[in-house]
Amino acid sequence: MQETPFCLRVGHLLPCSMSGSNTTDFNTTDFPSPSTFILLGVPGLEAAHVWISIPFCTMYIIAILGNVTILFVVKREPSLHGPMYYFLCMLAVTDLVLSTSILAKTLSIFWFNSREIDFSACLTQLYFLHCFSVMESGIFMTMAFDRYVAVCHPLRHSTILINSMVAKIGLAVMLRGGMLALPFPFLVRQWPYCKTNIIPQPYCAHMAMVKLACADTRASSYYGLFVVFCVIGLDVSFISLSYTQILRVIFSLPTKDARLKTFETCISHLCAILVFYIPHLFISLMYRFAQNVPLHFHVLIANVYLFMPPMLNPIIYRMRTKQIWDRLLRLFTH
């Protein structure tokens, strides 16, 4: 007996023949979006969800305390009101929004088995995830520019990166993130979903939803590659160019102490860049070449990648930036 295909219509399964003559008509048929999606959390490890939630919750608490501390210290200390610390505050806010937009629903899945998510809420989460990820990459690029001016043109640093320029750069980074991520929810919303409404991870991401669509999704795939090229390709290229010039200046300094002292001003930024980009590269390679790796391992690594930078960035900058560490100790002492 031939099996009747079923399509998802407003959260219910209906025969596909009711919405069109065949599956090739999806692009032209008026096909409504599903009302809800089901987030599985970590597939295959449902029994251990409560235990899995402990490290994620711990990372989130550390991220909250660390980033809020940086914002508080920079706001309280007038001596820290400079371009480097303004960019650091932008990074802290971005990390807070990025981790918060993901963790609330993740913990509700782990703790209360609340797996349903409204389609509009899923699209909103998708937008925030990609928007603030792009913004974070842009902030690292602007911080590289700040280090380039500080090392290569120290006498002009205070005249180039004035407060109005820092505000314009921050606005440009925010607009770029918002504009590049804006097409994602619109592209996802237009696809028909006749396979399933189950997403095998604890949050809504662009490619995870595209895989559920039963239509020609090449537009989404091509646009996703375009965003990756714009963000990772251009930002990493600019950062690499900036540090090439910085290293040339450092190695041209006459004494070893001068070289070490100048390089120390860049260590925090370099560590934060490695924490952000290396896991991203590792996950991309793993998804493409490690096909035999279990799905739950993919999901766990992807979640760790999302929460690791927000947790580590404030630790790196507090430990490696003497001004922040001194002001923090002074505040606790008083």
Side-chain angles (χ1 to χ4, degrees):
M1 181 181 295
Q2 185 177 4
E3 185 179 357
T4 303
F6 287 88
C7 293
L8 187 65
R9 180 184 287 272
V10 197
H12 302 284
L13 288 173
L14 296 177
C16 287
S17 57
M18 297 177 63
S19 59
S21 58
N22 53 56
T23 55
T24 60
D25 295 334
F26 284 139
N27 287 335
T28 58
T29 304
D30 184 15
F31 197 90
S33 299
S35 59
T36 59
F37 280 94
I38 306 298
L39 299 172
L40 290 186
V42 184
L45 297 178
E46 288 83 0
H49 272 176
V50 174
W51 296 105
I52 295 172
S53 69
I54 295 175
F56 287 112
C57 191
T58 302
M59 286 191 291
Y60 180 66
I61 292 173
I62 295 173
I64 291 288
L65 293 176
N67 287 292
V68 169
T69 299
I70 285 181
L71 293 172
F72 176 75
V73 172
V74 173
K75 184 179 184 299
R76 283 288 302 271
E77 291 295 327
S79 62
L80 300 181
H81 293 176
M84 174 183 174
Y85 302 102
Y86 290 148
F87 290 136
L88 184 56
C89 288
M90 296 179 196
L91 181 65
V93 172
T94 302
D95 283 338
L96 287 172
V97 176
L98 181 61
S99 56
T100 302
S101 66
I102 301 298
L103 190 85
K105 185 59 182 178
T106 300
L107 290 182
S108 71
I109 296 170
F110 289 163
W111 291 347
F112 309 112
N113 202 30
S114 176
R115 302 184 179 187
E116 288 193 4
I117 183 171
D118 184 76
F119 188 42
S120 298
C122 193
L123 294 180
T124 303
Q125 188 185 61
L126 179 152
Y127 175 77
F128 272 86
L129 170 64
H130 292 283
C131 173
F132 282 88
S133 295
V134 173
M135 284 177 58
E136 184 158 359
S137 180
I139 292 171
F140 283 127
M141 181 177 63
T142 60
M143 295 173 83
F145 175 68
D146 170 69
R147 292 298 85 206
Y148 164 75
V149 177
V151 173
C152 300
H153 305 282
L155 298 180
R156 299 175 58 192
H157 184 264
S158 59
T159 58
I160 294 176
L161 288 173
I162 57 177
N163 289 344
S164 60
M165 178 59 68
V166 172
K168 291 176 183 177
I169 292 174
L171 181 61
V173 169
M174 184 175 65
L175 289 176
R176 188 189 74 152
M179 295 298 292
L180 285 177
L182 190 60
F184 283 131
F186 288 101
L187 288 170
V188 169
R189 194 178 190 90
Q190 71 173 338
W191 306 129
Y193 297 90
C194 67
K195 297 178 181 178
T196 179
N197 64 339
I198 296 175
I199 300 175
Q201 58 188 43
Y203 57 87
C204 298
H206 174 240
M207 288 310 299
M209 298 184 69
V210 167
K211 289 179 180 179
L212 303 182
C214 50
D216 186 359
T217 59
R218 283 180 294 181
S220 282
S221 299
Y222 292 155
Y223 184 73
L225 290 174
F226 168 75
V227 171
V228 170
F229 173 77
C230 286
V231 175
I232 303 298
L234 295 181
D235 290 2
V236 171
S237 297
F238 184 85
I239 291 171
S240 302
L241 181 62
S242 298
Y243 272 96
T244 300
Q245 299 299 318
I246 289 171
L247 290 175
R248 287 180 58 186
V249 171
I250 289 176
F251 287 126
S252 66
L253 295 175
T255 65
K256 182 179 179 180
D257 289 341
R259 289 193 291 269
L260 287 175
K261 186 176 180 181
T262 305
F263 185 70
E264 283 179 355
T265 64
C266 304
I267 289 179
S268 298
H269 183 235
L270 282 173
C271 292
I273 288 174
L274 295 176
V275 167
F276 181 77
Y277 287 110
I278 287 182
H280 184 87
L281 177 62
F282 173 75
I283 291 172
S284 299
L285 293 175
M286 185 179 67
Y287 270 102
R288 284 164 175 78
F289 300 109
Q291 300 297 330
N292 295 327
V293 176
L295 178 60
H296 63 264
F297 184 79
H298 283 283
V299 174
L300 284 173
I301 292 297
N303 278 268
V304 169
Y305 161 70
L306 284 175
F307 292 113
M308 191 66 73
M311 179 188 71
L312 291 181
N313 286 338
I315 296 175
I316 291 170
Y317 278 98
R318 275 191 299 176
M319 294 296 126
R320 298 301 310 176
T321 306
K322 186 175 184 298
Q323 293 88 339
I324 292 180
W325 185 246
D326 289 344
R327 299 309 184 277
L328 187 61
L329 290 177
R330 185 184 302 174
L331 287 174
F332 276 115
T333 302
H334 285 293

